[in-house]
Amino acid sequence: MSSCNGIHIHPHDITDEGVEAIKTRLRAMGDIKYIFAEVNTIFERNPVPVGILPHNPVHDVVMGDATLHVDIDFSQCRLQQVKHQSLQAGEDCFNTLKENIAPDEFTVIPWVNVLNGHFTGDLDNNHVVDYKGVMQKHWICPNGSDVIDLWKTIFLGIKKQYGYNTFLIDRIRYPDWAGEAINPDQLYTCFCDKCCHKMTAQGLNVTAIKQRLGELVALLEQKEFEAFPLAFKNDPLIQSWVAFKQASVTEFVANLKQAMHAVDAEIELWLDLWSPKYSWLLGQNYTDLTKHASALKHFPYHKLGGGADVQGLINFYAHNEAEQERMFHSFLSLFDMPYDLSYQQFKQSGYPIEFVRDMNNHVRELSQDGTFIFSGIQMWNLPENELIDAITAANTSDCNALLYYCYGWAGDELFNAVSQFNAETL
């Protein structure tokens, strides 16, 4: 496998542990080139879903508050993201990275959550709205009026202040069903004024789409689980809406890239995408998106259902074992999962380990020729042998490199397992 592997780190790793501790573990792994450092958090428990931060000397658990950890001036933007309170105290974790990481040893890539966070300013012209007309808190729309201006300003500011010019952009999609709480209505977005006007201009019947979504959701609420996948995937109205979502996300990425290149052609965007089995519903089309980016990372985390909160969605609609089994098989059918397993097996072990290889090969098939593909590797909440199995599966797939998720959540026994594996195989 490539020596271009990477690992994700969070702001609390830098502030609580320090860069020397991070570098010591990464050097021992023996295969890390890239450090993907989170610029702005999401509303997420660290680690998720349970457990403690195993080597953090300050916090057992850190709750993400969806704030920005770089002190960039975007006061002239109509849309803003709330800055983390540590910036007011003069703490700057990205400056710490800049001062303590030699570029010839590790390459820092700012990792940015784009459409999900704690935003302020003109939310009325930028927020996501579901099919019932309810604003979905903390999500902004790729068709929003001011989203590109905000992120162009922040990216250019980061380059000027820290010198980084390649960014991994995450949360470039419409919402999934999870977050601070399970809310499937988030899936049925977006119907903000901008999206509705755009759909109408393209000949889509917005009222009919909303009505059909309501009818389909009713199937799940009425426990008609088996009817949902076929009805959803074969409905022309729904497919036109899904295609609109995908075109909107692709256009957003293309426009963001164009806006930055107009003032700085050196800035490059890499993509952080959902597993392709789910991504189509959230507005991510690998084939189109990779026309605008040379590299991507996706997350085939086999034990966590590919990174999706599958159990949360199943348990939202199904309230006993028999219902949950039926709902789970409906889920597998909707997302074309070819695995013969029960819900009880899934809860115990997730998807089979071949999911890692299968998803990497599928991403290669969908992406433009020459796309550099990082396979996300689940590096927490699993035993050492399963981590090595996932690495092995990725190494025998059509990806280019690994991207471990993540530094602060992984116990030293997992770092040691990777170190030993690499010492024997690299």
Side-chain angles (χ1 to χ4, degrees), residues 335-352:
F335 293 112
D336 296 318
M337 292 291 186
Y339 305 113
D340 182 18
L341 73 164
S342 70
Y343 187 50
Q344 296 304 313
Q345 290 171 321
F346 175 81
K347 288 195 294 183
Q348 180 71 27
S349 303
Y351 293 129

Side-chain angles (χ1 to χ4, degrees), residues 109-212:
I109 307 290
W111 159 39
V112 188
N113 295 297
V114 174
L115 297 174
N116 179 216
H118 187 179
F119 298 102
T120 60
D122 188 5
L123 295 177
D124 287 343
N125 283 305
N126 294 283
H127 61 209
V128 164
V129 178
D130 70 21
Y131 75 112
K132 297 177 181 176
V134 177
M135 183 185 82
Q136 293 302 314
K137 193 175 181 183
H138 304 310
W139 281 93
I140 52 178
C141 178
N143 289 316
S145 302
D146 307 297
V147 183
I148 287 177
D149 184 48
L150 170 65
W151 288 111
K152 180 186 74 170
T153 302
I154 293 175
F155 291 152
L156 292 173
I158 288 174
K159 180 178 180 186
K160 180 178 179 181
Q161 194 157 317
Y162 309 103
Y164 305 130
N165 60 10
T166 300
F167 299 87
L168 182 72
I169 55 172
D170 197 357
R171 302 257 158 166
I172 44 169
R173 57 177 174 83
Y174 291 93
D176 61 297
W177 56 85
E180 292 179 273
I182 299 297
N183 178 13
D185 283 350
Q186 291 185 146
L187 281 171
Y188 311 119
T189 52
C190 176
F191 293 92
C192 69
D193 289 344
K194 304 289 186 303
C195 283
C196 289
H197 290 157
K198 197 171 180 179
M199 279 189 273
T200 300
Q202 295 177 13
L204 278 65
N205 187 327
V206 173
T207 300
I209 293 171
K210 289 180 179 180
Q211 180 178 342
R212 186 59 179 143

Side-chain angles (χ1 to χ4, degrees), residues 43 69 75 98 111 158 165 223 354 361 370 394:
F43 288 106
H69 284 257
S75 58
K98 179 181 176 181
W111 159 39
I158 288 174
N165 60 10
K223 316 297 183 186
E354 56 261 33
N361 293 347

Side-chain angles (χ1 to χ4, degrees), residues 41-114:
T41 62
I42 58 174
F43 288 106
E44 180 177 67
R45 184 188 193 276
N46 293 260
V48 67
V50 295
I52 64 169
L53 299 170
H55 42 79
N56 188 307
V58 181
H59 297 100
D60 288 335
V61 173
V62 172
M63 300 302 296
D65 59 4
T67 56
L68 192 68
H69 284 257
V70 288
D71 195 13
I72 303 299
D73 180 13
F74 46 79
S75 58
Q76 300 306 306
C77 297
R78 289 163 54 89
L79 182 70
Q80 299 98 32
Q81 183 165 27
V82 175
K83 295 180 181 180
H84 191 263
Q85 59 184 4
S86 63
L87 293 171
Q88 298 177 357
E91 296 180 13
D92 186 334
C93 58
F94 272 82
N95 195 54
T96 300
L97 288 179
K98 179 181 176 181
E99 291 180 347
N100 292 279
I101 291 184
D104 59 352
E105 181 173 20
F106 301 111
T107 300
V108 174
I109 307 290
W111 159 39
V112 188
N113 295 297
V114 174

Side-chain angles (χ1 to χ4, degrees), residues 248-420:
S248 293
V249 172
T250 298
E251 185 178 358
F252 168 76
V253 171
N255 288 343
L256 178 60
K257 177 181 177 181
Q258 183 180 35
M260 291 189 301
H261 279 194
V263 291
D264 190 332
E266 291 183 346
I267 288 183
E268 186 173 1
L269 302 180
W270 293 355
L271 309 175
D272 194 327
L273 303 178
W274 260 48
S275 166
K277 287 294 184 179
Y278 308 130
S279 61
W280 59 270
L281 180 56
L282 307 181
Q284 292 178 342
N285 181 312
Y286 276 71
T287 304
D288 291 341
L289 282 169
T290 51
K291 295 174 182 176
H292 307 288
S294 62
L296 69 85
K297 170 249 180 174
H298 69 116
F299 41 90
Y301 305 148
H302 70 285
K303 193 157 188 181
L304 290 182
D309 188 352
V310 178
Q311 292 187 48
L313 184 63
I314 301 302
N315 296 342
F316 184 89
Y317 288 109
H319 305 127
N320 59 54
E321 190 171 324
E323 286 182 359
Q324 289 167 353
E325 201 65 51
R326 291 174 53 224
M327 175 65 188
F328 179 63
H329 283 89
S330 173
F331 179 93
L332 294 179
S333 176
L334 177 65
F335 293 112
D336 296 318
M337 292 291 186
Y339 305 113
D340 182 18
L341 73 164
S342 70
Y343 187 50
Q344 296 304 313
Q345 290 171 321
F346 175 81
K347 288 195 294 183
Q348 180 71 27
S349 303
Y351 293 129
I353 193 66
E354 56 261 33
F355 178 79
V356 178
R357 183 189 65 246
D358 293 347
M359 290 305 100
N360 281 321
N361 293 347
H362 190 35
V363 168
R364 175 62 66 197
E365 292 167 359
L366 294 173
S367 302
Q368 296 293 320
D369 291 344
T371 303
F372 192 97
I373 296 170
F374 289 95
S375 172
I377 297 293
Q378 181 182 345
M379 197 183 177
W380 88 103
N381 198 31
L382 80 176
E384 298 98 300
N385 65 297
E386 287 194 22
L387 170 59
I388 299 306
D389 287 345
I391 293 171
T392 302
N395 285 347
T396 57
S397 74
D398 286 337
C399 71
N400 298 99
L402 312 179
L403 211 174
Y404 298 98
Y405 193 90
C406 60
Y407 169 84
W409 301 4
D412 280 329
E413 74 282 358
L414 295 174
F415 282 99
N416 293 337
V418 174
S419 300
Q420 181 177 348

